[in-house]
């Protein structure tokens, strides 16, 4: 099975959806709890949400495997992105609910974690790095957009209800100031979705690691509350909701590219 698919476009845009994958190899799946086998912490339908990127001339990279195999948005040394706060790791052993991913004794040891990094994590990042370099060579500048989604309420990870749209730029370090200003202006000009910039989610490893505005790489992460485009309880795509938020995202991406 392919580890990812990469559509190469011609515009200076690469969209990455690292938590879209749902596949878990059988040797891992048999050690998961029944609940974890349903891969509930998937960023559901993010590849579908950003399918328009291909028609718009951008590049889109989509993994096949679940974050329970390896989290592509964590560093290979598994340093916490949010020190002091509950989170999940490179090869998660707890779910977003705080419940275990594995049956007792089924957790991967360090040797297995390293093997997963080499087999699944590294090829994705090599492809991402090479595509960024290709687009920057073509245009002198490239926007890396990280597409994510999550349940609006997850007490293990954050208090209360998450805003609809959560823009992260590593507190302004992963993209040029003007790029962030333009995207924020698009958010501020609408009144349908509530939003926050660099709140609970400031951008994961990919945003922080690859964002380098001084070298022409602007990286931004959008973490969406899943109720904005789907029925969270049934995990079903809601066409009308999805169309509305897709229009908003397209405007934000175009502002970043301006």
């Amino acid at each position: 099975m392919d580890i990812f698919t990469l559509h190469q476009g011609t515009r200076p845009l690469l969209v990455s959806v690292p938590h879209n994958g749902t596949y878990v190899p059988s040797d891992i799946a048999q050690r998961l709890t029944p609940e974890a086998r349903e891969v509930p912490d998937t960023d559901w339908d993010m590849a579908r949400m950003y399918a328009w990127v291909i028609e718009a001339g951008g590049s889109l990279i989509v993994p096949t495997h679940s974050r329970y195999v390896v989290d592509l948005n964590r560093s290979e040394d598994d340093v916490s992105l949010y020190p002091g706060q509950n989170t999940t790791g490179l090869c998660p052993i707890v779910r977003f609910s705080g419940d275990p991913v594995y049956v007792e004794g089924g957790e991967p040891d360090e040797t297995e974690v390293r093997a997963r990094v080499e087999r699944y994590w590294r090829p994705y990042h090599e492809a991402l790095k090479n595509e960024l370099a290709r687009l920057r060579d073509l245009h002198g500048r490239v926007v890396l957009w990280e597409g994510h989604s999550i349940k609006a309420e997850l007490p293990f990870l954050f208090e209360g209800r998450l805003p609809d749209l959560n823009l992260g730029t590593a507190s302004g370090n992963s993209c040029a100031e003007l790029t962030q200003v333009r995207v924020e202006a698009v958010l501020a000009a609408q009144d349908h979705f509530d939003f926050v910039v660099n709140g609970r989610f400031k951008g994961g490893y990919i945003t922080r690691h690859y964002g380098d505005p001084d070298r022409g790489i602007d990286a931004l992460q959008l973490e969406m509350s899943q109720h904005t485009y789907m029925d969270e309880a049934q995990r079903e795509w809601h066409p009308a909701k999805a169309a509305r938020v897709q229009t908003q995202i397209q405007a934000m991406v175009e502002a970043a590219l301006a």
Side-chain angles (χ1 to χ4, degrees):
M1 174 179 287
D2 291 335
I3 297 170
F4 60 85
T5 59
L6 170 62
H7 172 86
Q8 293 184 303
T10 56
R11 295 184 74 191
L13 171 66
L14 172 58
V15 174
S16 166
V17 287
H19 297 148
N20 184 87
T22 58
Y23 181 71
V24 180
S26 59
D27 62 313
I28 299 175
Q30 64 187 1
R31 292 145 52 197
L32 302 186
T33 65
E35 295 80 9
R37 288 175 198 158
E38 300 296 319
V39 291
D41 299 333
T42 301
D43 291 12
W44 300 105
D45 291 314
M46 282 296 96
R48 185 176 182 180
M49 178 62 64
Y50 286 94
W52 58 269
V53 168
I54 295 175
E55 185 175 347
S59 295
L60 178 65
I61 185 169
V62 182
T64 54
H65 289 62
S66 168
R67 71 191 302 158
Y68 289 166
V69 177
V70 68
D71 192 329
L72 299 168
N73 203 28
R74 299 291 186 271
S75 65
E76 62 177 304
D77 58 8
D78 206 12
V79 172
S80 177
L81 294 169
Y82 299 99
Q85 301 184 60
N86 286 338
T87 185
T88 56
L90 178 63
C91 292
I93 59 173
V94 295
R95 292 159 40 206
F96 288 170
S97 63
D99 297 312
V101 170
Y102 293 88
V103 297
E104 187 174 355
E107 301 87 348
D109 60 19
E110 186 60 23
T111 299
E112 182 178 355
V113 170
R114 290 302 104 201
R116 292 191 199 178
V117 167
E118 294 303 320
R119 185 172 183 181
Y120 305 109
W121 187 96
R122 200 167 308 285
Y124 188 88
H125 282 269
E126 285 296 321
L128 195 154
K129 179 179 67 176
N130 291 338
E131 183 64 5
L132 283 175
R134 183 184 76 86
L135 293 172
R136 187 182 59 183
D137 288 347
L138 282 173
H139 301 282
R141 174 180 177 264
V142 59
V143 170
L144 170 60
W145 189 275
E146 278 284 295
H148 294 264
S149 74
I150 196 169
K151 287 184 177 179
E153 296 185 18
L154 284 169
F156 179 71
L157 296 181
F158 48 81
E159 295 181 359
R161 184 185 72 85
L162 197 68
D164 297 332
L165 302 176
N166 303 262
L167 183 68
T169 63
S171 298
N173 294 306
S174 67
C175 74
E177 181 180 2
L178 182 57
T179 302
Q180 180 173 320
V181 167
R182 289 197 301 257
V183 177
E184 282 192 63
V186 172
L187 284 167
Q190 57 81 43
D191 58 9
H192 188 83
F193 303 104
D194 58 358
F195 69 93
V196 68
V197 179
N198 290 313
R200 171 63 178 87
F201 296 100
K202 303 178 188 297
Y205 171 76
I206 292 175
T207 301
R208 302 182 196 197
H209 179 73
Y210 293 101
D212 191 347
D214 291 338
R215 296 178 59 243
I217 302 176
D218 283 343
L220 306 93
Q221 174 180 292
L222 182 65
E223 184 82 66
M224 304 163 51
S225 289
Q226 290 176 344
H227 70 81
T228 61
Y229 69 95
M230 64 183 290
D231 181 327
E232 283 191 4
Q234 301 299 319
R235 298 177 190 165
E236 291 181 353
W237 178 269
H238 191 294
K241 285 184 175 182
R244 183 183 295 116
V245 76
Q246 273 181 320
T247 299
Q248 182 63 43
I249 293 171
Q250 288 175 335
M252 294 167 66
V253 171
E254 290 297 335
L257 288 167

